[in-house]
Amino acid sequence: MRGLRRRRRSYEKLQKNQHRQRNGTLSAMSNSNLTAKPWEHAKTSGSEADPLAIRFVESLSYDRRLYRHDIRGSIAHARMLKQVGLIAKADLNAIEHGLAEIMGEIDQQGDAWTGWKIELEDVHMCLEAALIAKIGDPGRKLHTGRSRNDQVALDLKLWIADAAEQLRGKFKALFLALIALAKRDGNIVMPSYTHLQRAQPIVAGAEIMAWLTAFDRARHRLDALLHINRNNPLGSGAIAGSALPLDRDVTAFTLDLGEPSPSSIDATASRDVAIDLAYALSMTAMWLSRWAEQWIIYLSSEFGFLTIGEAYTTGSSMMPQKRNPDMLELIRGRCGNAYGHLVGLLTMCKGITIGYNRDLQEDKRQLFAAYDMVCDSLDMAARIVATAKFQEDRIASTLDRGHLDATALAEYLVTRGVPFRTAHQIVGKLVRQAGDKPLSSLDLQAFQTACQEAGQPAACDQTVYDWLSASNVVRRYQSRGNAGVTGFQEQLAAWEQRFAAAPQARP
Ligand code: ARG
């Protein structure tokens, strides 16, 4: 009985502690008065803030990573205010110095910066409050003609431009690793698969070129989305613009955003740029996942086509012999998270009226999570590729299975004047005849009889053997972009040229 009471008491203590810890995180971020929001003058005085409401509404915990972009936008805004005569030169100087100091402080102190106060809700209010605390009245002029609604729309655009630049670097690292692998192992002859059934022979490099082509398309979506969304939301205010003589062309120019956005309502209401990036990230994640799945199959002992560095495999806690491709599985698995964030963003936008709604604050939570995840997956993919080795002997030992040269045999017959459909029929028959053995094991008599029976008596002679076997076939492909020797070499040369021409340039 006493034991039971003791257990209940210690449980209650635990609960109380957990509660304290949770609220402690709140107050650790803040050392000022929880009831005061400096911009909420319309509130009945004396009304108490609910700590849960403060935690519920805040975005500071995730939007503080925008601080550099917010400061950049504020400086551009202040310079414009000075240019149109809304603030004095001395105000601008104080604002610029104050913001530069704040940026330096945050660069150094990060999350420990004392200006982060959760009751101020977000990065914008924290920076403004810190500026006012530092420089006084000039700081109070910074928000002239501006709302957090156009401010956050701008910050997001600036952040996305930087994120795209980071992603370009990560794509480039992956491209270079794939190119290096293709240069070393690319001429290895291997089967290709449709329906995961053996199809036609290819060289390994051609498959690597396929991944490169797909990843490159994913990368180009970054350029496309920056192009479509390139305009400046700043100066749109809360929804309707401003009665003050703001010059939005000036801020657009300073921030390298082309033009002012055409509609103040749309500029503050839309999050298309975030959704576009989430889509670009999802497509990247999808291709990474598909590549990961292919390599997981190649790494299985049933295939054994490939090895990767041990650092990118893990053991089993029970089965001592195991090396599992967990990193590739996680690249595949995390793709679903990217889709989730994309759908989250789309759903967030579908039911809100035109104009800012607080729902939109969630955009950053979704986008940052998708971005961080895809960055990690791209980095991991590049490292895995750098350690990969195609297993030539193992692959070669399987090449005689599955009649990979059957299509080439039909094309040989076409070169001898046989209509393709008839050739297809002849080869089908020969495949059945060969059974488990390769087509090249049939004697000439067998080929000639099959042709004769199809009404093509002169279609086949000794030269047929030059068209059989995987290594002959990969040398015969001649259509542009083919997956054999010539197609691979042409594609590889184009990739190498792209980087040789401007090694420092964007991929
Ligand atoms: N933290 C907000 C967000 O990320 C900033 C805009 C708030 N605007 C407002 N009117 N409450 O969306």
Side-chain angles (χ1 to χ4, degrees):
M1 194 61 190
R2 212 186 299 144
L4 200 74
R5 221 175 293 138
R6 202 180 313 126
R7 264 211 301 280
R8 177 148 10 103
R9 262 208 307 278
S10 69
Y11 173 72
E12 278 165 5
K13 209 160 132 202
L14 188 77
Q15 275 209 322
K16 234 183 252 160
N17 265 344
Q18 277 176 351
H19 185 73
R20 217 176 291 143
Q21 258 171 24
R22 209 163 165 195
N23 291 334
T25 340
L26 257 183
S27 54
M29 291 174 77
S30 153
N31 45 20
S32 70
N33 177 3
L34 277 187
T35 59
K37 292 194 183 191
W39 65 102
E40 288 192 338
H41 306 297
K43 248 187 186 168
T44 322
S45 63
S47 66
E48 277 286 300
D50 176 347
L52 176 61
I54 288 171
R55 184 169 63 76
F56 198 82
V57 82
E58 68 89 22
S59 51
L60 182 60
S61 50
Y62 52 94
D63 71 9
R64 66 176 73 174
R65 71 196 273 178
L66 294 174
Y67 75 94
R68 289 183 140 259
H69 308 91
D70 197 75
I71 290 174
R72 220 180 116 203
S74 286
I75 289 175
H77 184 65
R79 285 184 184 162
M80 181 277 291
L81 291 177
K82 151 75 187 50
Q83 202 166 321
V84 301
L86 284 165
I87 62 171
K89 179 91 179 89
D91 294 329
L92 173 61
N93 284 345
I95 291 171
E96 290 203 81
H97 278 114
L99 288 174
E101 250 178 53
I102 289 172
M103 174 123 80
E105 285 167 19
I106 305 175
D107 282 347
Q108 279 205 333
Q109 297 161 29
D111 285 354
W113 184 58
T114 50
W116 300 132
K117 294 175 179 163
I118 197 175
E119 69 277 14
L120 295 181
E121 293 187 2
D122 54 31
V123 63
H124 323 292
M125 298 316 293
C126 287
L127 293 178
E128 193 186 331
L131 182 67
I132 292 170
K134 229 182 237 305
I135 65 169
D137 262 352
R140 292 192 180 87
K141 296 180 184 172
L142 174 61
H143 214 51
T144 307
R146 189 173 74 165
S147 153
R148 275 187 293 166
N149 298 354
D150 58 345
Q151 195 177 352
V152 73
L154 171 69
D155 291 4
L156 194 62
K157 266 190 190 175
L158 296 178
W159 181 85
I160 285 173
D162 277 358
E165 195 56 37
Q166 294 294 318
L167 284 164
R168 281 191 196 106
K170 293 178 189 303
F171 272 114
K172 184 172 175 180
L174 176 58
F175 293 166
L176 290 174
L178 284 166
I179 291 168
L181 177 63
K183 278 172 76 174
R184 199 197 57 218
D185 289 354
N187 285 314
I188 294 174
V189 180
M190 65 183 271
S192 66
Y193 296 84
T194 62
H195 314 263
L196 198 50
Q197 303 293 319
R198 291 182 157 233
Q200 291 176 275
I202 58 168
V203 290
E207 190 173 284
I208 297 170
M209 295 300 116
W211 299 123
L212 275 168
T213 306
F215 288 133
D216 193 31
R217 211 165 40 238
R219 196 213 72 102
H220 271 104
R221 285 193 185 90
L222 299 173
D223 299 342
L225 77 91
L226 291 177
H227 177 72
I228 294 171
N229 295 289
R230 187 159 177 261
N231 58 41
N232 173 28
L234 197 61
S236 299
I239 179 166
S242 167
L244 297 168
L246 308 178
D247 190 338
R248 303 187 58 215
D249 286 292
V250 168
T251 44
F253 180 78
T254 321
L255 295 164
D256 193 25
L257 282 173
E259 300 274 303
S261 57
S263 154
S264 63
I265 301 179
D266 170 69
T268 48
S270 69
R271 287 296 180 269
D272 292 16
V273 66
I275 299 173
D276 286 345
L277 179 59
Y279 173 66
L281 291 169
S282 293
M283 288 296 280
T284 306
M286 182 274 281
W287 276 108
L288 283 169
S289 174
R290 198 163 169 181
W291 160 78
E293 167 67 2
Q294 188 92 24
W295 277 27
I296 288 167
I297 291 172
Y298 287 167
L299 286 165
S300 67
S301 45
E302 281 70 15
F303 272 73
F305 283 11
L306 195 70
T307 58
I308 58 171
E310 285 219 327
Y312 308 115
T313 64
T314 62
S316 153
S317 60
M318 185 168 177
M319 298 170 281
Q321 86 286 11
K322 292 274 272 180
R323 289 317 302 178
N324 297 322
D326 297 43
M327 313 298 151
L328 288 164
E329 291 168 89
L330 285 168
I331 289 174
R332 185 180 60 189
R334 287 177 186 164
C335 170
N337 299 357
Y339 295 177
H341 295 303
L342 172 63
V343 174
L345 281 166
L346 287 165
T347 312
M348 175 191 86
C349 285
K350 89 178 181 59
I352 51 178
T353 54
I354 190 94
Y356 180 84
N357 289 264
R358 197 61 176 249
D359 316 41
L360 294 177
Q361 177 166 286
E362 293 293 306
D363 59 354
K364 290 168 285 297
R365 205 196 287 277
Q366 304 275 7
L367 192 63
F368 294 164
Y371 169 77
D372 291 341
M373 193 271 293
V374 171
C375 280
D376 272 359
S377 291
L378 278 168
D379 288 345
M380 184 49 66
R383 292 193 189 203
I384 293 172
V385 170
T387 67
K389 289 190 179 76
F390 280 89
Q391 301 299 301
E392 184 163 19
D393 293 346
R394 164 74 186 192
I395 298 172
S397 73
T398 76
L399 285 175
D400 276 347
R401 293 208 304 258
H403 307 298
L404 293 164
D405 45 7
T407 310
L409 174 57
E411 291 191 340
Y412 164 75
L413 295 174
V414 168
T415 67
R416 312 274 299 185
V418 181
F420 179 74
R421 275 284 151 245
T422 312
H424 190 281
Q425 185 193 331
I426 295 169
V427 177
K429 207 168 180 184
L430 287 164
V431 164
R432 278 197 301 282
Q433 221 171 306
D436 285 343
K437 296 218 174 73
L439 284 165
S440 58
S441 69
L442 296 172
D443 59 19
L444 186 57
Q445 187 63 47
F447 289 105
Q448 288 178 333
T449 309
C451 290
Q452 194 139 22
E453 282 169 10
Q456 302 288 338
C460 214
D461 63 23
Q462 193 61 35
T463 56
V464 67
Y465 292 103
D466 300 339
W467 286 69
L468 296 177
S469 92
S471 54
N472 280 331
V473 178
V474 294
R475 280 197 292 273
R476 290 209 172 264
Y477 297 126
Q478 47 179 322
S479 50
R480 269 304 282 282
N482 71 71
V485 173
T486 60
F488 162 49
Q489 290 305 339
E490 197 179 329
Q491 292 172 68
L492 179 62
W495 274 99
E496 287 196 278
Q497 204 182 353
R498 186 160 142 185
F499 288 109
Q504 298 311 320
R506 289 172 176 180

